[in-house]
Amino acid sequence: MIARVLAETGVPAPRRREPGFEGLAHIVVAQQVSTASAAAIWARLRSAVVPFEARVLAAASDETLRQAGLSRPKIRTLRAVAEAAETGSLRFESLRRLAADEAHAALCAVHGIGPWTADIYLMFCLGHADAWPAGDLALQHAVGVARGLASRPDAKEMAEIGERWRPLRGAAALLFWAYYRVLKGGSGAPV
């Protein structure tokens, strides 16, 4: 199955974002909105929070953050991330040294950071080879099609399916995102 998918997608290029507070904030801003909307909101947020650091974001008013385009839940999440970074309850520099499951748990301990966000951070900011965003709908769709399943597997089924690719589940995710783009008439990974 992997060989067949790879023949259709080619080798997907790795994608990286800056690790730390800024990288995680960028992921939070971009989730559940279009790429164009995410880019516009991110640009406004970066202009409103200068320099873009946890302490500066924490000091910004809710009105400033709303004017940048953030929803109330995203404001709460970004404030929780900023507080965790400032108090040291989330140490970005130590996440790189942890196993994927440990780093995932540390990120999910911050209010508003769920499994998908944690896995995306591990993959794209830290380059962790074993992150597996089992709840990602595009990933679920692509894996379901590749495996010839009658319906899209849910997060629990995806967790089980992903075990076969451990410790390189992140590489498998990149491949299946590229396959999703092929299935939708595009090319390359959407993330």
Side-chain angles (χ1 to χ4, degrees):
M1 170 185 65
I2 293 291
R4 180 176 44 80
V5 169
L6 192 56
E8 290 192 48
T9 64
V11 176
R15 298 177 183 262
R16 292 297 295 267
R17 288 193 176 150
E18 191 66 32
F21 175 72
E22 185 171 337
L24 184 55
H26 196 167
I27 291 166
V28 169
V29 167
Q31 59 192 46
Q32 298 179 336
V33 297
S34 72
T35 302
S37 293
I41 294 167
W42 182 248
R44 288 192 302 266
L45 183 61
R46 289 291 314 257
S47 293
V49 178
V50 178
F52 198 85
E53 298 172 352
R55 66 176 176 76
V56 179
L57 185 132
S61 70
D62 282 356
E63 183 57 28
T64 296
L65 299 177
R66 272 194 299 278
Q67 286 178 352
L70 295 174
S71 65
R72 287 192 202 307
K74 287 187 181 187
I75 291 170
R76 282 192 301 272
T77 297
L78 290 176
R79 288 198 184 286
V81 171
E83 180 182 344
E86 286 297 292
T87 63
S89 62
L90 179 62
R91 298 185 183 277
F92 286 104
E93 63 281 352
S94 68
L95 291 175
R96 185 179 310 277
R97 296 185 297 273
L98 298 176
D101 293 339
E102 293 172 28
H104 186 274
L107 287 162
C108 288
V110 177
H111 176 78
I113 300 300
W116 183 90
T117 304
D119 285 325
I120 297 301
Y121 180 83
L122 292 174
M123 286 182 69
F124 296 113
C125 294
L126 298 183
H128 207 299
D130 199 34
W132 180 246
D136 187 89
L137 297 178
L139 190 60
Q140 291 172 354
H141 177 79
V143 168
V145 170
R147 296 189 77 204
L149 301 177
S151 61
R152 178 175 49 82
D154 63 18
K156 182 179 177 188
E157 292 167 310
M158 286 292 287
E160 293 169 10
I161 291 167
E163 285 302 313
R164 72 180 53 215
W165 298 306
R166 191 183 283 272
L168 298 173
R169 295 177 299 171
L174 286 175
L175 178 63
F176 284 106
W177 275 320
Y179 187 51
Y180 177 81
R181 290 290 305 267
V182 168
L183 293 171
K184 295 299 181 184
S187 62
V191 290

